[in-house]
Amino acid sequence: MNLPQPPEPIPGAKALFSLDFDVAHLNHGSLGAVPHPVQHARRLLMDEAERDPRAFAAQVVTRLRLAREAVCPLVGAPAELTAFTTNTTTGVALALRSMDLSEGDEVLTTDHGYPSIDFNIAAQVRRLGVVHKTVPVPLTPTDTQVVEAVLSGLTPRTRLVVLDQITSATARVFPVAEVARQLRGRGVALLVDGAHVPGHLPVDVAAIGADFWIGNLHKWAYSPRGTALVSVSEDWRDRMWPLVESYGHEAGFPTAVEFHGTDGYTGWIAAPVGPAVLEQLGVERVQLHNAQLAAYGQAVIAKALNVETVDDEGQGRLGMRLIPLPDGLVTTQADAEALWQRIRRNLGVEVAVTCWNGRGFLRVAANVYNRPAEYDRLADGLSGLLAV
């Protein structure tokens, strides 16, 4: 197997991070990493809040609006139709609550979906008698196969389709704009789970045309953890209800969703510093670097394990890649958790181990602080580790 050429490091980029580099951090997709300038901006805001809590609180709503207006261009979302939330899961809960679902209404997902999204749908099943339908999609589907799978699952009772833009466990790119186009006029809402998208791939939320789009800024856009965006179409603006009714309620969306009285807002207000760091490094430069380094990591690990990689045409743009594990090694989520702990403990490597439909995979990610030697380290250690 010929290995792809890894990219040259971006000068100075690694020094932006506080990570313990005794550990090889090859799992940026899970929790991201917060650069020093973003940490510093948040600390200044925390200090300001402690110097005069009441004065700081009086400015929160205005500063949240300004922060939203600063970050929304990164994803092409209208600021007036977008709110900060803590993560994609919370955004899904907001959308489900606002849809006013009732007994027999169907929510459709694919088998590539994220577990916590299913947890929230399951809560609607228990409380309201909603029906959750899951359609299978191949591991390496074409865009046509994804669209056909979604359309095949629709019935007259389908109210909502939830579709990943980038899947988490399987690292696939799904054609969300085409699904939105196909659903238009059918009376079926589309919620796009864009958890891995901001800063990772170019995106124009308004052009996608989904009813709800939700994405994390704390993964690939370098914002503080607990920072995400939920963006809605104009049709849903006046129907979005917060999970907690508080002093911002009468202002309507987005303030009603964002403002919860004495909550902590410093991460959201500091959020624009993350995309600013990304912009200073060069968005396209970073994305190309990450895609090339992830491809190298995937290839060197697959070669060490003597396995074939699982790719599709959309994979080449991503900064995270999938490597199948030997058959039978990981067949449950508990197996995945156990292997993750062994790799972390014995090899000093942080990497995602996923289980999808009874099959085990490594999901390696790459960012500007990573180096080829870290993937070599994982590749060199895996053969012996898995033979134990």
Side-chain angles (χ1 to χ4, degrees):
M1 178 190 295
N2 293 323
L3 298 179
Q5 186 69 22
E8 289 295 321
I10 296 176
K14 186 173 181 177
L16 289 170
F17 296 89
S18 303
L19 294 165
D20 174 5
F21 289 111
D22 288 337
V23 177
H25 295 275
L26 309 182
N27 188 17
H28 188 89
S30 285
L31 295 172
V34 184
H36 290 301
V38 183
Q39 297 178 45
H40 181 64
R42 188 175 190 183
R43 289 192 192 102
L44 290 177
L45 287 164
M46 294 171 70
D47 290 344
E48 179 187 344
E50 293 308 316
R51 281 197 301 272
D52 193 339
R54 186 67 186 87
F56 184 86
Q59 300 172 26
V60 162
V61 171
T62 297
R63 293 172 84 166
L64 288 176
R65 175 180 58 79
L66 293 172
R68 259 191 287 112
E69 290 173 351
V71 298
C72 278
L74 176 70
V75 297
E80 69 277 9
L81 298 177
T82 303
F84 282 115
T85 188
T86 52
N87 51 38
T88 301
T89 303
T90 305
V92 170
L94 283 163
L96 288 170
R97 169 169 178 168
S98 299
M99 286 204 66
D100 195 24
L101 298 169
S102 59
E103 185 175 1
D105 287 343
E106 294 177 358
V107 177
L108 180 70
T109 63
T110 78
D111 59 355
H112 290 248
Y114 194 66
S116 67
I117 307 307
D118 290 343
F119 299 158
N120 277 274
I121 298 171
Q124 302 296 315
V125 172
R126 293 192 302 269
R127 291 180 55 248
L128 303 174
V130 168
V131 177
H132 181 192
K133 292 182 63 177
T134 302
V135 295
V137 173
L139 177 60
T140 57
T142 64
D143 286 356
T144 298
Q145 285 176 311
V146 175
V147 174
E148 288 178 347
V150 170
L151 296 182
S152 71
L154 300 179
T155 75
R157 296 304 305 268
T158 307
R159 290 282 312 282
L160 176 68
V161 170
V162 180
L163 188 66
D164 300 71
Q165 191 167 357
I166 301 174
T167 65
S168 179
T170 55
R172 307 293 109 180
V173 180
F174 280 177
V176 292
E178 177 59 21
V179 172
R181 191 183 72 81
Q182 292 286 343
L183 293 181
R184 207 162 291 130
R186 295 175 184 255
V188 178
L190 174 64
L191 187 157
V192 173
D193 178 348
H196 284 274
V197 173
H200 193 175
L201 290 182
V203 60
D204 187 339
V205 169
I208 290 172
D211 298 86
F212 312 95
W213 183 95
I214 307 162
N216 292 323
L217 295 175
H218 58 240
K219 291 181 182 284
W220 302 87
Y222 299 149
S223 293
R225 292 184 190 89
T227 306
L229 297 174
V230 52
S231 190
V232 304
S233 68
E234 184 67 52
D235 291 342
W236 285 98
R237 181 177 186 176
D238 294 334
R239 291 186 276 172
M240 291 297 291
W241 293 95
L243 296 176
V244 177
E245 307 280 349
S246 192
Y247 286 102
H249 173 68
E250 291 186 357
F253 185 85
T255 298
V257 165
E258 291 177 336
F259 187 66
H260 309 129
T262 52
D263 209 339
Y265 302 99
T266 55
W268 294 355
I269 296 171
V273 184
V277 170
L278 181 61
E279 185 70 34
Q280 188 171 31
L281 291 171
V283 178
E284 293 182 1
R285 184 188 192 190
V286 168
Q287 291 171 348
L288 179 61
H289 169 277
N290 295 345
Q292 290 177 341
L293 187 55
Y296 172 82
Q298 179 191 42
V300 73
I301 295 165
K303 182 178 181 179
L305 296 178
N306 194 29
V307 296
E308 294 292 327
T309 57
V310 284
D311 288 325
D312 56 35
E313 63 182 23
Q315 189 80 354
R317 298 173 286 165
L318 294 184
M320 59 184 189
R321 299 294 186 96
L322 217 59
I323 303 114
L325 289 165
D327 289 344
L329 182 66
V330 170
T331 61
T332 67
Q333 192 55 45
D335 291 340
E337 179 79 12
L339 181 57
W340 166 74
Q341 291 180 349
R342 288 175 61 200
I343 293 172
R344 175 86 188 202
R345 181 175 60 251
N346 296 328
L347 303 182
V349 176
E350 169 59 40
V351 66
V353 183
T354 69
C355 183
W356 179 78
N357 287 354
R359 299 175 61 184
F361 300 91
L362 293 179
R363 191 195 72 194
V364 294
N367 214 279
V368 295
Y369 50 79
N370 291 124
R371 298 293 183 265
E374 296 174 301
Y375 303 91
D376 298 339
R377 170 176 163 184
L378 177 57
D380 292 342
L382 273 176
S383 298
L385 181 72
L386 298 184
V388 175

